């Protein structure tokens, strides 16, 4: 049976978080299991990660960070709505709560995003291939608008829309993880208008919320792709991004974004993702399904909205485009 033609971008997040994470990410890239990376410019290993990206010609984007560690912009010199009393960002959930309460000054968000874009240019000597958000902060209400404005001003065209089809029905996810994934999806859907109005593009579909850490397996990655492809006509070309967090686990005190590495980065689950991504099983399954791995750079010829599928075939908020 003919299948939709799939081009898969495999993005390793948190590049620059620590040397051990970076070592695993580079290994995965060199064997073709990872095709793009997203760099934390406030990460403890940002400079050495940038050198690795240059040495190995790794397509590198910015992992915009508003929730973990220290800022790189004006906020680091004084009081800011983005920071807690110790001068660190408010955390994954703390930042979300502050945004929801209206306690975050959006002009300060814009300043920090611009500072991180500038820092990326300093480290890499070029603009990012894409910009996404650490812990998906870029799709939060209000934040998504200034995020889109900043990217447009810097000429960045690609971002991530973290809306994974069917993630609410993934019973293997613990209830908090499933609820967070669904909340991210709702925010992503609401961010589409802001992203579109500022000329941003993204892949036709996204997976990775249901396959994070110990939940990653060849079977589940394949299943997530299958959900993304439901009702897509045979022969149609579809682009998908797989978000991943591979690497060798961080060993404190090395790593982090100013506060040391968190439990997520120190977990054996990072190594598990690395092994799944680089193992023959997943790569053979993808090849069998006719999935072609590529970098976001390779999708640059895509035009948002041309040849878009109707609402009956894909999530309507994805606004898929044809190559």
């Amino acid at each position: 049976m003919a299948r939709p033609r799939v081009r898969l971008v495999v993005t390793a997040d948190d590049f620059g978080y620590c040397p051990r994470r970076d070592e695993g990410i580079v290994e995965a890239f060199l064997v073709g299991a990872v095709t793009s990376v997203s760099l934390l410019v406030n990460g403890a290993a940002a400079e050495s990660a940038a050198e690795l990206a240059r040495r190995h010609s790794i397509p590198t984007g910015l992992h915009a960070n508003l929730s973990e560690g220290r800022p790189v912009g004006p906020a680091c010199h004084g009081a800011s709505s983005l920071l807690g009393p110790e001068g660190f960002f408010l955390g994954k959930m703390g930042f979300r709560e502050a945004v929801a309460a209206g306690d975050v000054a959006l002009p300060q968000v814009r300043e920090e995003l611009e500072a991180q874009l500038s820092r990326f240019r300093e480290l890499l000597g070029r603009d990012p291939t894409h910009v996404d958000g650490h812990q998906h902060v870029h799709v939060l209400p209000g934040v998504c608008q200034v995020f889109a404005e900043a990217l447009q001003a810097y000429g960045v065209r690609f971002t991530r829309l973290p809306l994974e089809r069917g993630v609410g029905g993934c019973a293997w996810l613990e209830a908090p993880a499933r609820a967070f994934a669904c909340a991210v999806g709702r925010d992503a859907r609401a961010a589409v208008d802001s992203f579109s109005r500022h000329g941003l593009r993204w892949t036709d579909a996204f997976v990775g919320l249901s396959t994070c850490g110990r939940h990653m397996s060849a079977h589940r990655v394949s299943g997530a792709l299958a959900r993304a492809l439901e009702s897509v006509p045979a022969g149609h070309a579809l682009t998908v991004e797989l978000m991943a967090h591979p690497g060798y686990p961080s060993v404190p005190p090395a790593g982090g974004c100013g506060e040391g590495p968190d439990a997520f980065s120190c977990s054996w689950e990072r190594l598990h993702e690395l092994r799944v991504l680089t193992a023959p099983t997943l790569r053979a399954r993808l090849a069998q399904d006719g999935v072609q791995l590529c970098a976001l750079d390779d999708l640059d010829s895509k035009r948002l909205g041309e040849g878009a599928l109707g609402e009956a075939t894909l999530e309507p908020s994805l606004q898929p485009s044809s190559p």
Side-chain angles (χ1 to χ4, degrees), residues 123-251:
L123 289 169
L124 273 295
R126 60 167 177 79
D127 290 330
T129 58
H130 63 277
V131 181
D132 51 40
H134 184 50
Q135 299 169 338
H136 311 293
V137 295
H138 68 303
V139 296
L140 290 172
V143 174
C144 65
Q145 173 68 23
V146 295
F147 174 84
E149 291 171 357
L151 265 59
Q152 184 180 47
Y154 273 73
V156 178
R157 289 172 287 186
F158 277 100
T159 188
R160 169 186 292 167
L161 194 74
L163 174 56
E164 180 172 348
R165 189 171 190 170
V167 71
C170 296
W172 59 88
L173 293 177
E174 298 83 356
R178 193 162 60 247
F180 179 75
C182 291
V184 167
R186 289 192 296 271
D187 289 336
R189 188 185 298 277
V192 164
D193 182 61
S194 292
F195 287 1
S196 297
R197 283 188 287 106
H198 291 86
L200 298 182
R201 309 180 215 164
W202 50 89
T203 54
D204 298 319
F206 166 86
V207 297
L209 290 167
S210 67
T211 59
C212 187
R214 64 183 175 277
H215 300 303
M216 180 177 279
S217 67
H219 175 73
R220 284 179 176 156
V221 170
S222 182
L225 289 172
R227 290 194 301 276
L229 297 175
E230 286 176 5
S231 304
V232 177
H236 183 85
L238 194 77
T239 61
V240 184
E241 180 183 16
L242 168 62
M243 173 188 70
H245 303 85
Y248 294 102
S250 301
V251 178

Side-chain angles (χ1 to χ4, degrees), residues 14-54:
D14 303 337
F15 198 49
Y17 195 86
C18 85
R20 285 177 54 81
R21 291 282 298 277
D22 296 344
E23 179 184 353
I25 289 171
V26 171
E27 285 183 15
F29 174 78
L30 292 177
V31 300
V34 159
T35 62
S36 298
V37 300
S38 290
L39 174 68
L40 285 162
V41 296
N42 72 333
E47 292 188 5
S48 59
E51 172 57 30
L52 288 169
R54 288 192 299 268

Side-chain angles (χ1 to χ4, degrees), residues 96-117:
R96 284 171 160 76
E97 292 165 1
V99 168
D103 293 337
V104 170
L106 294 178
Q108 293 176 343
V109 169
R110 176 71 180 261
E111 287 178 345
E112 179 61 25
L113 289 172
E114 291 176 343
Q116 292 188 21
L117 284 160

